[in-house]
């Protein structure tokens, strides 16, 4: 799968499912890898969820380093740094009154998907139809009906189920990137307080994330299932 294929898949997904914003290509650059050439540095400090949102709405392609990631919790679950003890223990969310007890907060945080700390040195973002690199994961922010159709297309050939595991916490980073990166499985998540506060993800939108190796079959099945595009 080369860059031309990846861009073609991005355009086809938008056309087939009539998604209003771009699928977003995300690549975790490992500590021993080079950052892809000719991709600009973001040049500002913001949150991962905002970076995804900017790529999907504004069509921008860029890479970010740890210092560019305003939300260190998001940076930690994607392997850029260690998670702070207060966040890892659940204390942060408990103090925000998101949990009845510290134990329930901790029990939730223990199940958050996390890439190995300091194994990643940069994260690259792009609209899928413009990507000049091979992503690890593709995030699609869409309406529930469109996520339903994506799920149906994913299962069209091999069958099975799409498992959605979420807690309304660290949704675009842990659920959206770390989970498919670690498991090789697609995932569905509903957003979190931070991503819905700081981005333009709408109340009626949710997130599906797909490992890039699933992309060719996903698009092929979507074409055959949703015939208006195929015709």
């Amino acid at each position: 799968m080369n860059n031309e294929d990846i861009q073609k898949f991005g355009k086809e997904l938008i056309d087939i499912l009539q998604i209003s914003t771009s699928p977003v290509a995300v690549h975790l650059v490992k500590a021993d890898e080079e950052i892809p050439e000719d991709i600009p540095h973001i040049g500002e400090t913001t949150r991962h969820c905002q970076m995804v949102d900017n790529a999907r709405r504004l069509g921008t392609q860029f890479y970010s380093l740890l210092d560019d990631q305003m939300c260190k919790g998001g940076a930690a679950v994607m392997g850029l740094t260690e998670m702070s003890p207060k966040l890892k223990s659940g204390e942060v969310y408990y103090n925000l009154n998101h949990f009845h007890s510290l134990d329930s907060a901790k029990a939730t945080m223990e199940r958050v998907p996390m890439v190995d700390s300091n194994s990643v040195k940069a994260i690259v973002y792009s609209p899928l139809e413009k990507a000049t690199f091979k992503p690890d994961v593709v995030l699609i922010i869409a309406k529930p009906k469109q996520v339903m159709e994506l799920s149906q297309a994913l299962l069209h050939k091999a069958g099975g189920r799409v498992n959605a595991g979420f807690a309304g916490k660290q949704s675009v980073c842990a659920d959206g990137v770390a989970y498919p990166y670690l498991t090789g499985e697609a995932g569905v998540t509903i957003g979190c307080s931070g991503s819905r506060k700081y981005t333009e993800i709408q109340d009626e939108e949710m997130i599906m994330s797909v490992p890039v190796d699933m992309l060719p079959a996903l698009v092929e099945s979507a074409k055959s299932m949703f015939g208006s595009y195929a015709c």
Side-chain angles (χ1 to χ4, degrees), residues 7-207:
Q7 293 169 6
K8 179 173 175 283
F9 292 142
K11 292 172 185 174
E12 289 177 333
L13 273 179
I14 293 169
D15 290 341
I16 294 164
L17 299 177
Q18 294 296 294
I19 301 167
S20 61
T21 59
S22 296
V24 178
V26 176
H27 173 50
L28 305 187
V29 182
K30 295 178 182 177
D32 59 353
E33 289 181 13
E34 295 297 322
I35 296 170
E37 294 182 0
D38 301 323
I39 294 179
H41 181 223
I42 187 172
E44 64 175 322
T45 303
T46 188
R47 296 165 178 81
H48 162 75
C49 54
Q50 291 172 303
M51 296 181 194
V52 169
D53 199 44
N54 288 340
R56 76 164 180 133
R57 291 187 303 102
L58 305 178
T60 51
Q61 178 173 257
F62 52 87
Y63 75 88
S64 67
L65 304 173
L66 172 60
D67 288 346
D68 306 314
Q69 297 278 346
M70 185 179 293
C71 174
K72 300 307 183 191
V77 299
M78 294 185 296
L80 285 164
T81 188
E82 296 272 354
M83 181 171 282
S84 73
K86 287 187 176 181
L87 186 60
K88 191 172 185 178
S89 69
E91 184 178 345
V92 170
Y93 288 123
Y94 173 67
N95 289 336
L96 289 171
N97 197 32
H98 288 189
F99 291 93
H100 174 71
S101 68
L102 187 57
D103 285 344
S104 59
K106 183 179 180 182
T108 300
M109 292 306 296
E110 286 175 345
R111 298 183 63 181
V112 171
M114 285 194 283
V115 178
D116 289 343
S117 300
N118 302 309
S119 64
V120 172
K121 71 178 180 184
I123 303 179
V124 190
Y125 303 81
S126 175
L128 186 62
E129 72 275 13
K130 295 181 180 179
T132 58
F133 58 91
K134 184 178 179 181
D136 297 300
V137 176
V138 176
L139 288 90
I140 304 163
I141 298 173
K143 295 179 179 178
K145 181 184 177 183
Q146 294 161 332
V147 173
M148 176 198 74
E149 291 170 339
L150 287 164
S151 300
Q152 291 171 339
L154 277 171
L155 304 180
H156 183 238
K157 291 188 175 181
R161 293 182 67 83
V162 176
N163 293 314
F166 51 79
K169 302 284 182 291
Q170 298 190 281
S171 187
V172 181
C173 51
D175 300 344
V177 174
Y179 175 78
Y181 180 83
L182 292 168
T183 66
E185 298 178 357
V188 173
T189 185
I190 55 173
C192 57
S193 301
S195 61
R196 292 196 177 276
K197 178 178 180 180
Y198 295 113
T199 75
E200 294 191 26
I201 296 174
Q202 301 298 302
D203 288 352
E204 64 272 17
E205 291 181 317
M206 57 194 301
I207 303 107

